[in-house]
Amino acid sequence: MPQVDLQQGNLDVQIQISREAPADVHVLADRLFELIGSLVAEALKALLRARLREELGPCGQPGNRFGPGREAGCPDCGSGAAYRKGFRTRTVEVRRLGALEVERPYLECRKCGRSYAPYTGGVPEQRRYGRKALRRPMEATVETSYRRGAEAYPESPSASTLWRRVQENDPQTEISTGSAETGSAETGSTAPSASPVPWLTGTCVADSTPIPARRASEGRKQASHSLSIAHLVEPDPEGGPGGRPALRRHPVAARVGSETRLRADLRSVPIRSLITDGKMEVGGAAPFVGRCRWHLPRTIRYGLYNDEVSGDFNERLSGSLRSLVHSRFPNGVAAREALTRWAAACRLAAPQSATTVERAVDSIAIYAERPEAFTVETTAPAEREMRELNRRFENGGQWSRSGAENLLRWHQVYRHAPAQWTDWFDRKRPTEEPTVSQC
């Protein structure tokens, strides 16, 4: 009987022909090669499933956990308690067979919520990507999502690799205050080092927005995190397109979670003036704290509905307050008197709104008392940034606090510190891993 010897990939295939071949021998070799690959993949899956059952316990059994000394615990917290989340496909290298699609068990840590694959299942040693090769995929990730970043370019690594890069590294930014630097890796102050930060001439604007969270916090029905940012803004001497006035911004702080962390960051840098929407707890973060001139009338307009004031009467009251808030008073005393009179006149019809205005009197009068301390008088620069952040964080489903904050730091450096972004990817072997302060 004739025998045909073929070289198929890394295998030597020998086919004995006993009668007329039903197909081309090369087609038969291809089918045989595919069959061997599928058999190996199924065998690996069965072995991993049996190992998981032995080490973690039967599926569905309460209290499943890896015993002490097992290497399959959570890579973040080391806990052995885990939930099964099915199988995930991974391309692995098998000797002689090359790349195979293998299904590996996927788990979720009961303690910290990290999802991970407990066994390598033939996965080759971790590959290292040069920083220059990561630049375009990272930019796509910051603008869209991890999955789209992994699919954007031929050199793109997997989505999990991009996620690890975001969690483990930050592009470097430094705060420059002329002769000294302020901030540290722990507090994370950031600003483009190419242009000194105008602490004494710029105004800091801060705002926050909710983003989807993995789990609802105590006391809240909807799962969400509070994302907060603070930018220092100053007039741009070069102006905008067509010679229009423009602002130059310097990211100062960016946090996800409790707003008290943002307040601590702001207290660690020498900002002179600060503007918020009146809802953020940032007391004592700056010598002069104002309330956004646009937010207060808008808040009162909706607050009047809680006082059962609607229709034309609501429009008249909110319109009169808007005129007062945007008026240029000669001094702080005149501003306080005008707003106090409005609150007194509305006390009977709208007691809650009147109280809100009385509490905001000082933060509006400060514009008349210290006009030189404020470059802007609204949170509009932060609002524009929030639109971009909301668009980005709507992609990706539910976020953990640390995962959202790490991506937020990359996002801020990518948008507002292009020199530091480029420098991080161009450096080959930094002396130490760069970190982003506050942002």
Side-chain angles (χ1 to χ4, degrees):
M1 292 184 292
Q3 176 177 300
V4 180
D5 296 332
L6 300 175
Q7 182 74 27
Q8 182 74 15
N10 294 321
L11 294 178
D12 293 328
V13 181
Q14 297 179 349
I15 301 178
Q16 294 279 352
I17 301 177
S18 58
R19 54 189 176 85
E20 184 177 353
D24 186 90
V25 290
H26 295 282
V27 175
L28 291 175
D30 290 339
R31 292 178 181 176
L32 179 62
F33 192 76
E34 294 175 0
L35 178 60
I36 294 173
S38 60
L39 289 175
V40 172
E42 289 297 324
L44 284 175
K45 179 181 178 181
L47 289 173
L48 294 176
R49 186 194 295 268
R51 181 180 176 184
L52 185 67
R53 178 183 177 86
E54 177 184 353
E55 296 185 359
L56 184 62
C59 181
Q61 178 176 314
N64 279 349
R65 64 180 298 116
F66 292 100
R70 299 291 186 182
E71 299 179 357
C74 176
D76 278 359
C77 66
S79 173
Y83 299 105
R84 286 177 169 86
K85 295 186 67 176
F87 287 81
R88 298 290 176 89
T89 301
R90 177 72 182 272
T91 302
V92 301
E93 293 289 335
V94 178
R95 183 179 176 83
R96 291 188 178 273
L97 294 180
L100 294 180
E101 296 289 334
V102 177
E103 293 187 4
R104 301 186 301 159
Y106 207 63
L107 307 177
E108 179 181 349
C109 177
R110 295 187 182 185
K111 184 176 181 181
C112 68
R114 165 76 184 272
S115 296
Y116 66 97
Y119 310 119
T120 58
V123 178
E125 294 183 0
Q126 183 177 3
R127 294 169 290 181
R128 297 184 63 86
Y129 288 87
R131 290 193 174 187
K132 288 187 177 181
L134 281 173
R135 178 169 180 173
R136 294 201 303 171
M138 287 298 296
E139 290 176 351
T141 297
V142 169
E143 291 178 349
T144 56
S145 67
Y146 290 108
R147 179 179 60 82
R148 293 178 180 176
E151 300 171 352
Y153 303 102
E155 71 272 21
S156 295
S158 65
S160 59
T161 298
L162 291 172
W163 179 87
R164 283 198 307 271
R165 284 287 185 172
V166 170
Q167 307 309 312
E168 295 171 359
N169 309 113
D170 301 14
Q172 182 182 21
T173 57
E174 298 175 353
I175 294 182
S176 174
T177 57
S179 60
E181 292 184 353
T182 306
S184 64
E186 288 76 14
T187 57
S189 298
T190 184
S193 57
S195 56
V197 181
W199 299 116
L200 300 180
T201 58
T203 296
C204 188
V205 294
D207 199 9
S208 63
T209 187
I211 61 173
R214 179 172 295 175
R215 292 184 178 88
S217 57
E218 295 183 4
R220 292 187 179 182
K221 296 182 179 179
Q222 185 177 4
S224 65
H225 293 303
S226 176
L227 183 151
S228 308
I229 63 170
H231 285 185
L232 199 71
V233 297
E234 62 170 339
D236 189 346
E238 299 178 359
R244 293 178 296 177
L247 293 174
R248 178 179 296 169
R249 66 179 70 208
H250 306 266
V252 175
R255 292 294 188 184
V256 175
S258 174
E259 293 178 2
T260 57
R261 303 173 66 231
L262 183 76
R263 179 175 59 194
D265 291 341
L266 293 177
R267 287 176 176 177
S268 67
V269 292
I271 57 176
R272 180 180 64 163
S273 56
L274 174 66
I275 298 177
T276 71
D277 58 3
K279 300 177 183 178
M280 301 180 68
E281 296 293 335
V282 291
F288 308 111
V289 180
R291 183 161 181 170
C292 174
R293 288 185 184 270
W294 178 84
H295 265 100
L296 180 59
R298 184 174 182 271
T299 301
I300 294 302
R301 178 183 178 186
Y302 289 100
L304 288 171
Y305 287 105
N306 294 331
D307 290 320
E308 299 183 355
V309 176
S310 60
D312 293 339
F313 193 27
N314 184 312
E315 290 293 334
R316 288 199 301 270
L317 290 181
S318 58
S320 62
L321 178 64
R322 187 179 303 108
S323 299
L324 291 176
V325 169
H326 288 277
S327 297
R328 297 294 176 182
F329 294 99
N331 51 58
V333 175
R336 285 184 173 85
E337 289 180 353
L339 293 172
T340 303
R341 284 198 301 269
W342 188 96
C346 299
R347 174 66 62 184
L348 293 178
Q352 297 182 38
S353 299
T355 301
T356 302
V357 172
E358 288 177 343
R359 293 175 178 173
V361 165
D362 291 338
S363 57
I364 296 295
I366 193 69
Y367 297 128
E369 293 177 343
R370 300 300 299 266
E372 75 284 355
F374 294 91
T375 302
V376 294
E377 298 177 351
T378 69
T379 59
E383 296 287 347
R384 297 188 187 99
E385 186 71 13
M386 282 301 177
R387 286 200 293 269
E388 291 295 322
L389 291 172
N390 282 326
R391 178 188 61 81
R392 173 58 186 92
F393 282 93
E394 285 175 357
N395 296 329
Q398 300 173 337
W399 296 86
S400 65
R401 188 196 62 79
S402 60
E405 186 167 296
N406 290 330
L407 181 63
L408 174 61
R409 294 180 178 183
W410 281 87
H411 185 277
Q412 292 294 278
V413 175
Y414 172 65
R415 282 179 55 83
H416 304 294
Q420 280 68 30
W421 180 270
T422 301
D423 178 67
W424 192 87
F425 287 101
D426 286 344
R427 274 180 290 142
K428 293 182 179 179
R429 291 182 178 272
T431 56
E432 59 182 5
E433 282 298 339
T435 57
V436 173
S437 40
Q438 278 176 6
C439 235

